[in-house]
Amino acid sequence: MTESDPADLETRHRAMWALGDYPAVATEVIPGLGRRLVEVCRIGPGQRVLDIAAGSGNAAIPAAAAGADVVASDLTPELFDAGQRIAAAQGVDLQWQEADAEALPYADAEFDAVISCVGIMFAPFHRAAADELVRVTKPGGTIGLINWTPTGFIGQMFATMKPFAPPPPPGALPPPMWGDETHVRSLLGDRVADLGLRRENAVIDCFSDGAEFRDFFKAYYGPTVAVYKAIAAEPDRIERLDRELADLASRYDLGNGRMEWEYLLVTARRSA
């Protein structure tokens, strides 16, 4: 099995997101992002909705709470247990299904709305994921995405981690490219209409300083955990990455531990 073998890549990608505790990131750091996406997409009763790369349901659960018939899909089903507990506590029902964003197990034009909140952007092959996103959306149906931008905090965090990470497989693209307007236009093309691209900021106020941010992501955020795991035998590089992540967060601190993390809000209708 080669490094670029699709099955091997899928296994490693799934394992990365099972590291740490992504549900803690979703519920403690960015709890409002999913609700924002559901609101702007006007999701409600009578709609069949797919959340791609749903994780623990940051967007899927608000969509179900709005009355939609929701499928939460993700390559890493280990994240579903936390999502199911959250959904049960809120008294909402939805389906949870293991699925690869680049090869979705759904029929053409099956869903009235297809959404993803900082999820589909992490599928390594952007064109394949975009093709599937469009394929399963009904003509005239809603597409809604929230993606971290390359120039925003999370994009810069990935840029900071890149020199310490193993090289990506051939053909894989950086996740924050999904937060670049030109890239999104090229991925969706004339297959969508009414394309809206709006930069917004998530207000983050749960870290007192850069070191606290670093330690939280080092423990809980799968991609960060994976990078530290890759350099576990290199104490000098660990010390350097520790310093650079804390410094990055400190530069984005607006005072009293408040940060703004930029994302691109993408809305569109699938063309007929």
Side-chain angles (χ1 to χ4, degrees):
M1 184 174 287
T2 66
E3 181 71 4
S4 59
D5 182 84
D8 180 53
L9 177 58
E10 181 177 314
T11 297
R12 290 185 287 115
H13 199 66
R14 170 178 169 171
M16 178 186 72
W17 286 104
L19 294 171
D21 185 356
Y22 184 74
V25 178
T27 58
E28 297 178 31
V29 183
I30 52 169
L33 280 191
R35 291 192 301 271
R36 171 63 179 151
L37 185 60
V38 168
E39 289 168 0
V40 78
C41 290
R42 299 181 179 178
I43 290 173
Q47 290 181 306
R48 181 159 168 76
V49 176
L50 174 66
D51 184 0
I52 298 175
S56 53
N58 198 24
I61 293 172
D69 175 13
V70 179
V71 176
S73 69
D74 200 281
L75 183 64
T76 308
E78 291 88 341
L79 302 176
F80 291 166
D81 287 346
Q84 289 167 342
R85 290 194 298 270
I86 295 168
Q90 296 184 19
V92 297
D93 294 321
L94 63 157
Q95 296 175 267
W96 302 83
Q97 295 183 350
E98 181 178 350
D100 182 351
E102 297 169 0
L104 295 171
Y106 308 113
D108 294 355
E110 185 170 340
F111 296 93
D112 300 296
V114 181
I115 60 175
S116 187
C117 181
V118 295
I120 195 173
M121 62 180 290
F122 291 100
F125 302 107
H126 295 188
R127 176 66 62 184
D131 290 348
E132 286 294 271
L133 166 70
V134 174
R135 180 184 67 80
V136 300
T137 308
K138 290 181 179 179
T142 299
I143 291 171
L145 311 172
I146 284 180
N147 303 319
W148 301 121
T149 66
T151 54
F153 177 77
I154 294 296
Q156 291 302 298
M157 183 192 76
F158 275 94
T160 299
M161 294 192 301
K162 182 178 179 180
F164 301 88
L173 295 174
M177 285 186 68
W178 269 99
D180 177 81
E181 293 90 340
T182 300
H183 186 61
V184 172
R185 288 191 187 97
S186 72
L187 289 174
L188 300 179
D190 61 5
R191 299 179 296 178
V192 302
D194 302 324
L195 179 61
L197 300 167
R198 176 176 174 178
R199 293 191 178 219
E200 297 183 349
N201 288 302
V203 176
I204 310 299
D205 58 5
C206 52
F207 304 114
S208 60
D209 56 25
E212 185 178 358
F213 157 79
R214 176 204 61 214
D215 292 344
F216 184 92
F217 266 55
K218 187 176 177 179
Y220 295 116
Y221 190 59
T224 307
V225 177
V227 170
Y228 274 99
K229 186 177 179 181
I231 60 173
E234 303 174 79
D236 290 346
R237 298 186 78 200
I238 291 173
E239 182 180 354
R240 180 181 158 202
L241 182 56
D242 277 348
R243 182 174 62 254
E244 291 187 11
L245 286 176
D247 288 348
L248 175 69
S250 295
R251 291 198 301 273
Y252 276 80
D253 191 338
L254 301 175
N256 298 318
R258 182 179 182 273
M259 291 191 283
E260 292 183 348
W261 294 1
E262 185 182 68
Y263 60 86
L264 184 68
L265 177 62
V266 181
T267 55
R269 299 279 178 185
R270 180 181 168 181
S271 299

